[in-house]
Amino acid sequence: MADSKKPADSSRPDLEDSTSVVDRHEGLLAQGAAQAREKQVAETGMEPVSLWVFVASAVVLLVAGGVLGAGGKLFSYNPHPQGYTRTEFVSDADTGPTIGPILTALTKRGKNIYAKCSGCHGSTGNGDGNQFPPLAGSDWVTGSTERLAQIILNGLSGPIDVGGKTYNGVMPAQAPLTAAELAAVMTFVRNEFNDVGDIVTVEQAANALKVYESRPQGQITVKELNEKYDKMLEGEPVDPATMVDFETLKPAAAE
Amino acid sequence: MGSDSDSQTKLHDDMELRARIDRSLRHPVMFFFASGAAWLAVALILGFISSYQSHDTRFLSGVGFLNYGRVYPAHLNVLIYGWGCQAAFGLIVWLMARLSRKECTCPGVILTAGHIWNFGVLAGMLGILWGYGSGKPWMEFPSAIWPLFLVSYFFITVWSFIQFRCSEPGKTYVAQWYLLAALFWFPWVYLTAHLFVFVFNGHPVMAAGVNAWFKYALIFLFFTPVALGTSYYLAPKVTGRPVYSYPLALFGFWALAIIGPWAGMQKLAGGPLPQFMPYVGAAATVLILIPALAVGVNILMTLRGHESQVVASPSLRFTIAGIASFLILGLVGMGLNTPAALKMTQFSLTGYGFEILAIYGFFSMCAFGGIYFIVPRVTRREWLSRRFIGWHFWLTIYGIATVVVCSIMGGLFHGAAQEAYNSAWQDAAKISYAYTVGTTVAWGFILFGSLFFLLHLLLMWARLGRRSQHPTLLQGEHHGESPHGPEDDLDKLHTAEA
């Protein structure tokens, strides 16, 4: 057997006929037909590269240089690079008078701040009748201003009686507020939902903030409010009809 | 005569070696491709849902874990880590073994690490949907996942590096440069970005900058080199023609290596960072067109004169689509990063379009090309249906073109409308409405096409492919001229015998 497999002449393998070429090919291809038909490429081309590739690359480099140039001073922290500065906002809408009674000025400003409160107390100040007490017709709003200011700044926990009904929820603290914001929102709830007719001045609100800062952090209770804060805020009252500039809230001559 | 028979034996030995390499890697490679394709289908379903929600906010709004803020990051992360990385691993592992001419000695370790990676993707996706996402773009998987990914990455790819080191000295192919670079760049980019964002207690603005850099670094320093390595392997392999120009390949590679790492921070232009960071990022993204031109010219010139093969071979057809997308990516990158356009791209749909063009139009198309080439070799079966391949190709091409055009064009209008800051933001959202509807429809097409791909791949994995010596081609008779080399010898032999 061994002899018969040997080619008759080793230099002429094609004369050897003991193995079937077809069989060998079939075996080979069954193992790896895909591998067998693969092409072998060992070398790498050295074709000349068109100059246009480099010309195009140079154009890209120029564009990139322009982009980098638009950055201005590269190591500065200037947050207003080219194209990132807004022009002054000019509204097309009629914004109304810029001078008017201080009551109007504070109520108008307070309305924007109240947007935050309206989620619970409702846009008409009527609460939800269940968990969140109404502001309209509430003694807590129309009564002493210092008490109201401390509720707004500290938030409130524990039961509270409003209009003959006990509410037992938790109000989160609304601080930090600026004195002007506090004055505006207090004036708004006292005059929009109720009919108190006076204003809380910025000076009074600033005093409320001082009281708030001297008090330890944490929500206030009805007991503490009635013991310590059941009084009007310190500060000169201002006539609600005083003409002021809406921007600065400083007295101004009527136009 | 003697030398002729010598070369015949050599060819035979060589073929046997290649068959052995393919056989040694069949389990890990098929696992990466099949599970990657399954994750791709999941990513596309999530992409469809999130795109639908961008124009119809009531869609699935009652289902907490499927709200937009969770589905959108889940969509991108599954696309990147579930499909993109796994497809890349399959390609790297197989191509490096073939190019280094070394059998894989530890497919079991790769397979185990691959399962761990898949577990990470699953846990990460569920984490995002359950509301534990980290909120950092492309790093949304809960932060316990990333160290797991790094360990698993090490055990998947270290063998490819060892194979390269142990291969016989001599020729290093262009494909190997890119694959080897990707092997090193991925852990560098991934580890650096995650350390700066999750571990080091740096300035949060800087962390946002690193996050923006990470996205582009992952595209240009991992997905791009893997896609280009695959294309530089397939184009000469299938046509039988050497790579057009070696110097141009060298130029393209080093251009990418030098430019790639700078891109990405333009997302924060106008932000409180030293100015050079966003503007160097924008300039680098413009410059990406240079390596894109070099590679595009090189691969297209390699394929020139082989048009019939490009049309007939699934591998080449997907490859050429991917390379064309890379050129488009370079051009779009140049357009979008000029100062006038940049501010329209930062908070609009445009960025998404650019990322999808990079990951799907470019990387995934090249990866599909590689998969259509590799799978018949490792399974020893031919693809079942040319129709499935054709549908996958055309649905994907049209779908991706639509997603990219809608997102980029719509995004530019969207961005310009947002600049009109004294009209309501809702007006800007209304402008992009038609484009987001287009994107949703296109994701549907892509999903449909990739379901054919998934089904086809699973059938191949189950070894239900055709038992034939003729490759599945998209055109021409099975017995006609083949782009994969002569294959009718056997028929001739049979005829001669008879």
Side-chain angles (χ1 to χ4, degrees):
Chain A
M1 282 300 273
D3 279 351
S4 72
K5 283 210 167 180
K6 223 173 179 180
D9 178 352
S10 61
S11 68
R12 300 290 306 275
D14 50 325
L15 290 181
E16 194 264 327
D17 58 357
S18 59
T19 47
S20 157
V21 183
V22 176
D23 285 349
R24 283 210 59 178
H25 258 267
E26 261 184 340
L28 198 74
L29 293 171
Q31 272 177 33
Q35 287 87 357
R37 64 172 182 256
E38 270 173 29
K39 292 170 189 163
Q40 293 298 94
V41 188
E43 73 272 35
T44 322
M46 296 295 270
E47 306 278 344
V49 179
S50 164
L51 190 62
W52 288 110
V53 175
F54 295 99
V55 172
S57 299
V59 172
V60 177
L61 262 176
L62 278 176
V63 175
V67 170
L68 205 55
K73 273 194 184 163
L74 291 181
F75 285 89
S76 79
Y77 280 83
N78 169 25
H80 304 295
Q82 189 188 330
Y84 285 85
T85 7
R86 292 249 186 270
T87 46
E88 188 97 3
F89 177 76
V90 184
S91 172
D92 308 332
D94 181 14
T95 48
T98 54
I99 289 175
I102 189 165
L103 179 63
T104 319
L106 285 174
T107 315
K108 200 172 169 188
R109 200 183 279 201
K111 187 174 182 165
N112 291 332
I113 300 163
Y114 182 76
K116 206 172 146 192
C117 322
S118 63
C120 297
H121 292 295
S123 55
T124 54
N126 285 318
D128 69 345
N130 176 31
Q131 203 185 345
F132 307 119
L135 304 179
S138 164
D139 297 342
W140 296 90
V141 175
T142 57
S144 27
T145 48
E146 176 140 355
R147 224 170 40 173
L148 176 60
Q150 294 312 317
I151 295 176
I152 294 172
L153 291 170
N154 292 293
L156 183 80
S157 68
I160 182 169
D161 287 336
V162 182
K165 188 169 179 215
T166 304
Y167 295 85
N168 196 358
V170 175
M171 170 171 163
Q174 303 301 315
L177 289 169
T178 64
E181 284 169 348
L182 181 62
V185 78
M186 285 175 71
T187 308
F188 175 77
V189 296
R190 283 164 70 85
N191 292 291
E192 180 83 9
F193 305 138
N194 302 287
D195 198 15
V196 181
D198 67 355
I199 62 153
V200 177
T201 66
V202 178
E203 187 202 351
Q204 288 169 346
N207 287 328
L209 286 175
K210 274 186 206 149
V211 174
Y212 159 72
E213 274 153 22
S214 62
R215 187 186 169 271
Q217 290 278 310
Q219 278 149 331
I220 210 160
T221 59
V222 169
K223 187 164 167 267
E224 189 185 345
L225 280 169
N226 285 332
E227 276 171 11
K228 289 194 201 163
Y229 303 119
D230 192 5
K231 57 189 178 215
M232 297 306 275
L233 282 165
E234 282 171 36
E236 282 295 305
V238 172
D239 178 12
T242 315
M243 299 302 273
V244 291
D245 186 320
F246 280 6
E247 278 295 307
T248 59
L249 296 177
K250 294 267 160 45
E255 274 175 301
Chain B
M1 279 308 260
S3 72
D4 211 41
S5 102
D6 272 2
S7 75
Q8 278 295 321
T9 331
K10 242 177 107 181
L11 261 177
H12 183 202
D13 289 349
D14 186 77
M15 194 222 88
E16 274 187 341
L17 172 66
R18 280 180 282 131
R20 276 204 312 276
I21 294 172
D22 293 351
R23 191 133 187 85
S24 73
L25 274 167
R26 66 191 187 281
H27 293 304
V29 164
M30 282 313 288
F31 174 76
F32 283 129
F33 289 162
S35 60
W39 280 120
L40 178 64
V42 174
L44 291 172
I45 293 170
L46 293 170
F48 180 83
I49 295 174
S50 75
S51 181
Y52 203 112
Q53 285 168 335
S54 69
H55 55 81
D56 181 1
T57 47
R58 286 162 306 173
F59 182 62
L60 293 178
S61 60
V63 193
F65 69 93
L66 284 182
N67 67 29
Y68 182 78
R70 295 183 189 176
V71 172
Y72 177 73
H75 151 60
L76 275 178
N77 281 270
V78 171
L79 183 67
I80 291 160
Y81 300 106
W83 153 249
C85 286
Q86 293 213 86
F89 295 155
L91 293 169
I92 292 175
V93 164
W94 189 84
L95 287 170
M96 282 303 270
R98 269 297 194 95
L99 291 165
S100 311
R101 311 184 66 71
K102 290 282 170 208
E103 279 173 67
C104 178
T105 48
C106 41
V109 180
I110 300 181
L111 197 60
T112 311
H115 277 86
I116 293 173
W117 184 280
N118 266 274
F119 168 76
V121 175
L122 180 67
M125 185 189 74
L126 293 178
I128 293 176
L129 293 181
W130 267 324
Y132 294 99
S134 75
K136 317 279 190 306
W138 293 27
M139 303 178 172
E140 273 109 341
F141 284 165
S143 53
I145 306 282
W146 71 265
L148 184 75
F149 271 0
L150 267 183
V151 173
S152 149
Y153 174 85
F154 177 81
F155 285 105
I156 291 169
T157 54
V158 67
W159 320 108
S160 298
F161 179 68
I162 294 171
Q163 282 166 348
F164 176 75
R165 288 286 298 165
C166 298
S167 62
E168 277 162 40
K171 192 162 171 48
T172 307
Y173 294 92
V174 180
Q176 279 171 301
W177 310 341
Y178 279 105
L179 295 171
L180 203 62
L183 280 181
F184 283 106
W185 286 338
F186 179 83
W188 167 52
V189 166
Y190 194 77
L191 182 65
T192 311
H194 281 80
L195 283 180
F196 274 98
V197 171
F198 290 114
V199 181
F200 298 152
N201 195 19
H203 196 285
V205 175
M206 206 53 235
V210 172
N211 194 172
W213 169 79
F214 171 70
K215 292 165 74 168
Y216 277 65
L218 203 60
I219 289 175
F220 291 134
L221 298 181
F222 182 64
F223 289 127
T224 299
V226 173
L228 295 184
T230 309
S231 307
Y232 267 121
Y233 176 82
L234 287 181
K237 188 77 179 172
V238 179
T239 58
R241 183 202 185 294
V243 170
Y244 175 69
S245 164
Y246 181 82
L248 191 59
L250 206 60
F251 171 70
F253 175 78
W254 285 109
L256 180 72
I258 291 165
I259 295 165
W262 294 93
M265 288 209 193
Q266 67 267 32
K267 173 83 183 160
L268 292 172
L273 283 174
Q275 294 251 356
F276 79 94
M277 290 180 170
Y279 283 89
V280 166
T285 313
V286 169
L287 287 177
I288 286 290
L289 185 53
I290 293 178
L293 275 174
V295 172
V297 167
N298 219 352
I299 302 254
L300 296 182
M301 292 302 273
T302 307
L303 297 178
R304 196 164 83 155
H306 297 83
E307 284 81 6
S308 59
Q309 299 180 350
V310 172
V311 172
S313 155
S315 311
L316 280 192
R317 216 194 252 197
F318 277 95
T319 300
I320 209 165
I323 292 299
S325 295
F326 189 36
L327 281 168
I328 296 169
L329 183 79
L331 285 168
V332 169
M334 179 158 95
L336 292 183
N337 286 284
T338 51
L342 185 56
K343 60 181 175 178
M344 320 271 197
T345 67
Q346 287 174 283
F347 304 103
S348 66
L349 296 169
T350 315
Y352 178 68
F354 188 77
E355 287 157 15
I356 293 298
L357 176 60
I359 295 205
Y360 216 114
F362 167 39
F363 168 76
S364 298
M365 292 307 261
C366 291
F368 289 139
I371 290 172
Y372 279 117
F373 185 83
I374 293 169
V375 169
R377 283 161 177 74
V378 296
T379 59
R380 296 183 179 185
R381 300 284 187 278
E382 296 300 334
W383 290 101
L384 279 167
S385 159
R386 70 162 88 168
R387 281 195 190 85
F388 275 18
I389 303 177
W391 288 335
H392 177 215
F393 181 77
W394 290 114
L395 286 167
T396 310
I397 281 285
Y398 279 106
I400 274 306
T402 313
V403 168
V404 168
V405 169
C406 281
S407 300
I408 291 181
M409 288 305 294
L412 284 176
F413 290 125
H414 186 203
Q418 287 180 143
E419 287 288 302
Y421 52 94
N422 44 9
S423 51
W425 190 82
Q426 203 181 1
D427 296 348
K430 268 183 198 149
I431 281 178
S432 59
Y433 178 81
Y435 299 98
T436 49
V437 172
T439 305
T440 307
V441 173
W443 276 129
F445 277 107
I446 298 170
L447 173 63
F448 195 56
S450 80
L451 286 179
F452 284 116
F453 171 64
L454 175 64
L455 173 67
H456 212 174
L457 195 57
L458 290 178
L459 288 171
M460 292 292 279
W461 198 14
R463 293 177 69 80
L464 292 171
R466 285 192 302 119
R467 295 168 72 91
S468 162
Q469 282 130 27
H470 304 293
T472 307
L473 299 175
L474 293 171
Q475 258 183 16
E477 290 301 304
H478 283 313
H479 296 271
E481 172 86 19
S482 156
H484 294 274
E487 52 175 349
D488 50 355
D489 308 9
L490 197 63
D491 303 325
K492 278 186 195 147
L493 281 169
H494 276 300
T495 327
E497 193 84 334

